[in-house]
Amino acid sequence: MAKAEKKQALGRGLSALLKDPANDIKSVEDKGADKVVGNIIELELDAIEINPFQPRSNFNEETLKELAISIKELGVIQPITVRKLDFNKFQLISGERRLRASKLAGLETIPAYIRLANDNESLVMALVENIQRHDLDPIEVALSYQRLIDEINLTQEELSDRVGKKRSTITNYLRLLKLDPIIQTGMRDGFISMGHGRALISIEDDEVQSEIYHKVVSQNLSVRETEALVKKYQDSLKPQAAKSASDRSFEVADTDQKAFTGFFGTKVDVKVASNGKGKITIPFHSEEDFNRILKLINN
């Protein structure tokens, strides 16, 4: 207990240091920077602004209330991470759920790691830390990857190195952004999974894509069932092989079949296959009947 109180008092002491204009720290070379940067400091909630680079945009109100209750009882166990913007002004890098819940709990301060970072570094840190600590929905992850590529001019290979993910994984996320916005929203709201989205993205026709999406949601189809539905549609688009004249089937008219029966004096069975080939079956009932049919053929 004494150790925890000492650590909290140290955080408050450093917080007082940050509020002294004479000791305003703007870079790692400034006096006292080593006491602040990378340390846990109690910051006033009002001094922290939300990170515009935050990948997460959906917050479940019920789970936030549960976290707020936990924070009231136990405090903030895992400090948030912020970057220093100006004198006594900070911007959140990661930990927005804890920040929101702390406000709900009525706290005035929150423990925070202090970093000095430019916008690009803040964007990378926010993305990496949030992916590691929170279950972002696939579209939030995809949008974050796309923002890194667009704003920092990273290739997918470079992005792979920065966030520690395989390039194929990043590619799969980015492809989700090609889905119809309604389907993207469905994924964010949990109606379909990333697996469903990956199956639907292979359909280029937006109307068909949307039609299958609504069928998946209404019938609560699994990923495998969705893949089968998509494959059935794609198979229907494949051109059917044209039959040559010699391979085309034909039908035997009733009059022709009756002619065979009348000629041989017994019911003749004529069958034709789809490739045009067939067989004629002439039944006989005795040796005498066989000889009769043979005589008709030889004549």
Side-chain angles (χ1 to χ4, degrees), residues 1-280:
M1 175 66 75
K3 185 176 180 181
E5 290 178 350
K6 183 177 179 181
K7 184 176 181 181
Q8 187 177 29
L10 177 62
R12 288 173 180 168
L14 292 174
S15 178
L17 176 66
L18 285 173
K19 291 182 180 180
D20 185 355
N23 296 317
D24 189 23
I25 297 168
K26 297 180 179 179
S27 72
V28 291
E29 286 80 19
D30 290 344
K31 182 181 179 181
D34 59 326
K35 296 179 181 179
V36 174
V37 179
N39 287 300
I40 301 175
I41 299 176
E42 284 287 330
L43 293 181
E44 293 178 353
L45 293 177
D46 292 341
I48 304 169
E49 68 175 39
I50 299 300
N51 184 358
F53 305 129
Q54 164 67 278
R56 179 183 290 276
S57 57
N58 293 328
F59 293 88
N60 185 289
E61 291 298 325
E62 191 62 33
T63 57
L64 277 178
K65 290 177 182 178
E66 292 174 359
L67 181 56
I69 294 173
S70 173
I71 287 175
K72 273 186 178 180
E73 296 178 356
L74 305 173
V76 180
I77 298 174
Q78 176 66 42
I80 64 174
T81 303
V82 300
R83 68 173 181 134
K84 193 173 184 300
L85 293 178
D86 206 341
F87 175 66
N88 200 34
K89 185 177 180 182
F90 305 87
Q91 186 181 82
L92 188 70
I93 290 178
S94 67
E96 188 168 347
R97 287 184 73 253
R98 279 162 280 161
L99 183 66
R100 287 172 179 258
S102 295
K103 290 180 179 179
L104 283 176
L107 301 188
E108 294 183 357
T109 64
I110 188 170
Y113 286 105
I114 307 295
R115 291 188 176 182
L116 298 175
N118 60 32
D119 285 349
N120 284 352
E121 290 170 339
S122 180
L123 176 57
V124 174
M125 285 189 288
L127 172 67
V128 175
E129 293 196 30
N130 275 282
I131 287 179
Q132 296 301 327
R133 297 180 183 181
H134 300 299
D135 184 21
L136 297 180
D137 69 62
I139 298 301
E140 286 174 328
V141 175
L143 289 170
S144 300
Y145 285 155
Q146 190 62 57
R147 189 164 188 177
L148 275 169
I149 290 172
D150 293 341
E151 297 189 16
I152 309 183
N153 296 320
L154 295 178
T155 64
Q156 288 191 26
E157 194 66 43
E158 292 169 335
L159 179 58
S160 171
D161 294 334
R162 294 292 288 271
V163 301
K165 300 288 183 180
K166 293 181 179 179
R167 182 177 177 180
S168 58
T169 299
I170 293 173
T171 300
N172 286 333
Y173 274 105
L174 291 175
R175 291 182 71 237
L176 297 177
L177 299 179
K178 296 180 180 179
L179 287 168
D180 183 279
I182 293 178
I183 301 177
Q184 291 186 37
T185 301
M187 193 178 301
R188 301 189 71 165
D189 291 340
F191 291 114
I192 61 171
S193 68
M194 182 175 178
H196 290 98
R198 289 181 62 183
L200 291 170
I201 197 64
S202 59
I203 299 176
E204 296 181 1
D205 189 309
D206 292 341
E207 290 187 7
V208 175
Q209 189 183 90
S210 180
E211 181 182 331
I212 293 181
Y213 163 71
H214 288 296
K215 185 175 291 187
V216 169
V217 174
S218 63
Q219 298 180 16
N220 194 28
L221 300 182
S222 67
V223 172
R224 182 169 294 183
E225 289 171 328
T226 302
E227 291 172 342
L229 201 59
V230 170
K231 185 178 185 302
K232 182 178 179 181
Y233 165 72
Q234 292 174 329
D235 287 344
S236 70
L237 300 179
K238 295 178 181 178
Q240 299 296 319
K243 295 181 179 180
S244 64
S246 60
D247 289 337
R248 287 176 186 161
S249 180
F250 63 93
E251 293 183 1
V252 177
D254 289 341
T255 52
D256 294 334
Q257 187 144 350
K258 288 179 180 178
F260 277 111
T261 299
F263 179 76
F264 290 105
T266 186
K267 187 176 181 181
V268 177
D269 185 29
V270 181
K271 291 183 178 179
V272 181
S274 60
N275 61 2
K277 296 180 180 180
K279 64 180 180 178
I280 299 174

